[in-house]
Coordinates of all heavy atoms in Angstrom, one line a residue:
E1 N 1.7 8.3 3.0 CA 1.7 9.7 3.5 C 3.1 10.4 3.3 O 4.2 9.8 3.4 CB 1.5 9.7 5.0 CG 1.4 11.1 5.7 CD 1.3 11.0 7.2 OE1 0.7 10.0 7.7 OE2 1.6 12.0 7.9
V2 N 3.0 11.7 2.7 CA 4.3 12.3 2.5 C 4.9 12.7 3.8 O 4.4 13.4 4.7 CB 4.1 13.6 1.6 CG1 5.3 14.4 1.4 CG2 3.4 13.3 0.3
I3 N 6.2 12.2 3.9 CA 7.0 12.5 5.1 C 7.9 13.7 4.9 O 8.1 14.5 5.8 CB 7.8 11.3 5.6 CG1 6.9 10.1 5.8 CG2 8.7 11.6 6.7 CD1 5.9 10.3 6.9
S4 N 8.5 13.7 3.7 CA 9.4 14.8 3.4 C 9.5 14.9 1.9 O 9.4 13.9 1.1 CB 10.8 14.4 3.9 OG 11.7 15.4 3.7
A5 N 9.7 16.2 1.4 CA 9.8 16.4 0.0 C 10.7 17.7 -0.2 O 10.5 18.7 0.5 CB 8.5 16.6 -0.7
V6 N 11.6 17.7 -1.1 CA 12.5 18.8 -1.3 C 13.1 18.9 -2.7 O 13.3 17.8 -3.3 CB 13.7 18.8 -0.2 CG1 14.6 17.7 -0.4 CG2 14.5 20.1 -0.2
Q7 N 13.2 20.1 -3.2 CA 13.8 20.3 -4.5 C 15.3 20.4 -4.4 O 15.8 21.1 -3.5 CB 13.2 21.5 -5.2 CG 11.7 21.3 -5.6 CD 11.1 22.5 -6.4 OE1 11.4 23.6 -6.0 NE2 10.4 22.2 -7.4
E8 N 16.0 20.0 -5.5 CA 17.4 20.1 -5.5 C 17.9 21.5 -5.5 O 19.0 21.8 -5.0 CB 17.9 19.3 -6.7 CG 19.4 19.1 -6.7 CD 20.0 18.2 -5.6 OE1 19.2 17.5 -4.9 OE2 21.2 18.1 -5.5
E9 N 17.2 22.4 -6.1 CA 17.6 23.8 -6.3 C 17.8 24.5 -4.9 O 18.5 25.4 -4.7 CB 16.7 24.6 -7.1 CG 15.4 24.9 -6.5 CD 14.5 25.8 -7.4 OE1 14.6 25.6 -8.6 OE2 13.7 26.5 -6.9
R10 N 17.2 23.9 -3.8 CA 17.4 24.4 -2.4 C 18.8 24.2 -1.9 O 19.3 25.0 -1.1 CB 16.4 23.8 -1.5 CG 15.0 24.0 -1.8 CD 14.6 25.5 -1.7 NE 13.2 25.6 -2.2 CZ 12.8 26.6 -2.9 NH1 13.6 27.6 -3.2 NH2 11.5 26.7 -3.2
F11 N 19.4 23.3 -2.5 CA 20.9 22.9 -2.1 C 21.9 23.4 -3.1 O 22.9 24.0 -2.7 CB 21.0 21.5 -1.9 CG 20.1 20.9 -0.9 CD1 18.9 20.1 -1.3 CD2 20.3 21.0 0.4 CE1 18.1 19.6 -0.4 CE2 19.4 20.6 1.4 CZ 18.2 19.9 1.0
S12 N 21.5 23.2 -4.4 CA 22.5 23.7 -5.4 C 22.4 25.2 -5.7 O 23.4 25.7 -6.2 CB 22.2 22.9 -6.7 OG 21.0 23.4 -7.3
R13 N 21.4 25.9 -5.3 CA 21.2 27.3 -5.5 C 21.1 27.6 -7.1 O 21.4 28.7 -7.4 CB 22.2 28.1 -4.9 CG 22.5 27.8 -3.4 CD 21.3 28.1 -2.5 NE 21.1 29.5 -2.3 CZ 20.0 30.0 -1.8 NH1 19.0 29.4 -1.5 NH2 20.0 31.4 -1.7
K14 N 20.8 26.6 -7.8 CA 20.6 26.8 -9.3 C 19.1 26.6 -9.6 O 18.5 25.6 -9.5 CB 21.4 25.7 -10.0 CG 21.3 25.7 -11.5 CD 22.0 24.6 -12.1 CE 21.7 24.5 -13.6 NZ 22.2 23.2 -14.3
K15 N 18.5 27.7 -10.0 CA 17.1 27.8 -10.3 C 16.7 26.8 -11.5 O 17.4 26.6 -12.4 CB 16.7 29.2 -10.8 CG 15.3 29.5 -10.9 CD 14.7 29.6 -9.5 CE 13.3 30.0 -9.6 NZ 12.6 29.7 -8.4
H16 N 15.7 26.0 -11.2 CA 15.2 25.0 -12.1 C 16.3 23.9 -12.3 O 16.4 23.4 -13.4 CB 14.7 25.6 -13.4 CG 13.7 26.6 -13.2 ND1 12.5 26.4 -12.6 CD2 13.8 27.9 -13.6 CE1 11.8 27.6 -12.6 NE2 12.5 28.5 -13.2
D17 N 17.1 23.6 -11.3 CA 18.1 22.5 -11.4 C 17.5 21.2 -11.9 O 16.5 20.7 -11.3 CB 18.7 22.3 -10.0 CG 20.0 21.5 -10.1 OD1 20.2 20.8 -11.1 OD2 20.7 21.5 -9.1
D18 N 18.0 20.7 -13.0 CA 17.5 19.4 -13.5 C 18.5 18.2 -13.3 O 18.3 17.2 -13.9 CB 17.2 19.5 -15.0 CG 18.4 19.9 -15.8 OD1 19.5 20.0 -15.3 OD2 18.2 19.8 -17.1
S19 N 19.4 18.4 -12.4 CA 20.4 17.3 -12.2 C 19.8 16.2 -11.3 O 18.7 16.3 -10.8 CB 21.7 17.8 -11.5 OG 21.4 18.4 -10.3
F20 N 20.6 15.1 -11.1 CA 20.1 14.0 -10.2 C 20.2 14.6 -8.8 O 21.1 15.2 -8.4 CB 21.0 12.8 -10.3 CG 20.4 11.6 -9.6 CD1 19.6 10.9 -10.2 CD2 20.8 11.4 -8.3 CE1 19.0 9.7 -9.6 CE2 20.2 10.3 -7.6 CZ 19.3 9.5 -8.3
P21 N 19.0 14.4 -8.0 CA 18.9 15.1 -6.7 C 19.7 14.4 -5.6 O 19.2 14.0 -4.5 CB 17.4 15.0 -6.5 CG 16.9 13.8 -7.2 CD 17.8 13.7 -8.4
F22 N 21.0 14.3 -5.7 CA 21.9 13.6 -4.6 C 21.7 14.3 -3.3 O 21.5 13.6 -2.3 CB 23.3 13.6 -5.0 CG 23.7 12.7 -6.2 CD1 24.0 13.2 -7.4 CD2 23.7 11.3 -6.0 CE1 24.3 12.4 -8.4 CE2 24.0 10.5 -7.0 CZ 24.4 11.0 -8.3
Q23 N 21.8 15.6 -3.3 CA 21.7 16.3 -2.0 C 20.3 16.3 -1.4 O 20.1 16.2 -0.2 CB 22.1 17.8 -2.2 CG 23.6 18.0 -2.7 CD 23.9 19.4 -3.0 OE1 24.4 20.1 -2.1 NE2 23.7 19.8 -4.3
S24 N 19.2 16.3 -2.2 CA 17.9 16.2 -1.7 C 17.6 14.8 -1.1 O 17.1 14.7 0.0 CB 16.9 16.3 -2.8 OG 17.0 17.6 -3.4
I25 N 18.2 13.7 -1.7 CA 18.1 12.4 -1.1 C 18.8 12.3 0.2 O 18.3 11.8 1.2 CB 18.6 11.3 -2.1 CG1 17.6 11.3 -3.3 CG2 18.7 9.9 -1.5 CD1 18.2 10.5 -4.6
K26 N 20.0 12.8 0.2 CA 20.8 12.8 1.4 C 20.1 13.6 2.6 O 20.1 13.1 3.7 CB 22.2 13.5 1.2 CG 23.1 13.4 2.4 CD 24.4 14.2 2.0 CE 25.3 14.2 3.3 NZ 26.4 15.2 3.3
Y27 N 19.5 14.7 2.3 CA 18.8 15.5 3.3 C 17.6 14.6 3.8 O 17.4 14.6 5.0 CB 18.3 16.8 2.7 CG 17.4 17.5 3.5 CD1 17.9 18.3 4.6 CD2 16.0 17.4 3.4 CE1 17.0 19.0 5.5 CE2 15.2 18.1 4.3 CZ 15.6 18.8 5.3 OH 14.8 19.5 6.1
I28 N 16.8 14.1 2.9 CA 15.7 13.4 3.3 C 16.0 12.2 4.2 O 15.4 12.0 5.3 CB 14.9 12.9 2.1 CG1 14.1 14.0 1.5 CG2 13.9 11.8 2.5 CD1 13.4 13.7 0.2
L29 N 17.1 11.5 3.9 CA 17.4 10.3 4.7 C 18.0 10.7 6.0 O 17.6 10.1 7.0 CB 18.5 9.4 3.9 CG 18.1 8.8 2.6 CD1 19.2 8.1 1.9 CD2 16.9 7.8 2.9
E30 N 18.9 11.7 6.0 CA 19.4 12.2 7.3 C 18.3 12.8 8.2 O 18.2 12.5 9.4 CB 20.5 13.2 7.0 CG 21.7 12.6 6.6 CD 22.8 13.7 6.2 OE1 22.6 14.8 6.3 OE2 23.9 13.2 5.8
N31 N 17.4 13.6 7.6 CA 16.4 14.3 8.3 C 15.4 13.3 8.9 O 14.8 13.5 10.0 CB 15.6 15.3 7.5 CG 14.8 16.2 8.3 OD1 15.1 16.8 9.3 ND2 13.5 16.3 7.8
S32 N 15.2 12.2 8.2 CA 14.2 11.2 8.7 C 14.9 10.1 9.5 O 14.2 9.2 10.0 CB 13.6 10.5 7.4 OG 12.9 11.5 6.7

C-alpha cells in the first residue's frame, strides 16, 4: 500500500528535476 509519494521538484522548485531525490527521501522518512 502506498503510504507516501513525493516528487523532488516540490522541494528543489526546479520543474522536471531529474536529480537524486535526497529531499524527497528525507521528507518521507521524517513524515512517516
Side-chain angles (χ1 to χ4, degrees):
E1 182 181 337
V2 177
I3 302 302
S4 183
V6 64
Q7 290 183 316
E8 189 70 6
E9 71 179 32
R10 300 296 178 216
F11 303 101
S12 68
R13 310 297 285 167
K14 178 183 171 190
K15 192 73 174 162
H16 305 301
D17 191 345
D18 63 353
S19 64
F20 191 84
F22 289 109
Q23 296 177 89
S24 297
I25 293 168
K26 180 181 177 195
Y27 171 81
I28 285 173
L29 295 175
E30 288 176 356
N31 191 53
S32 301

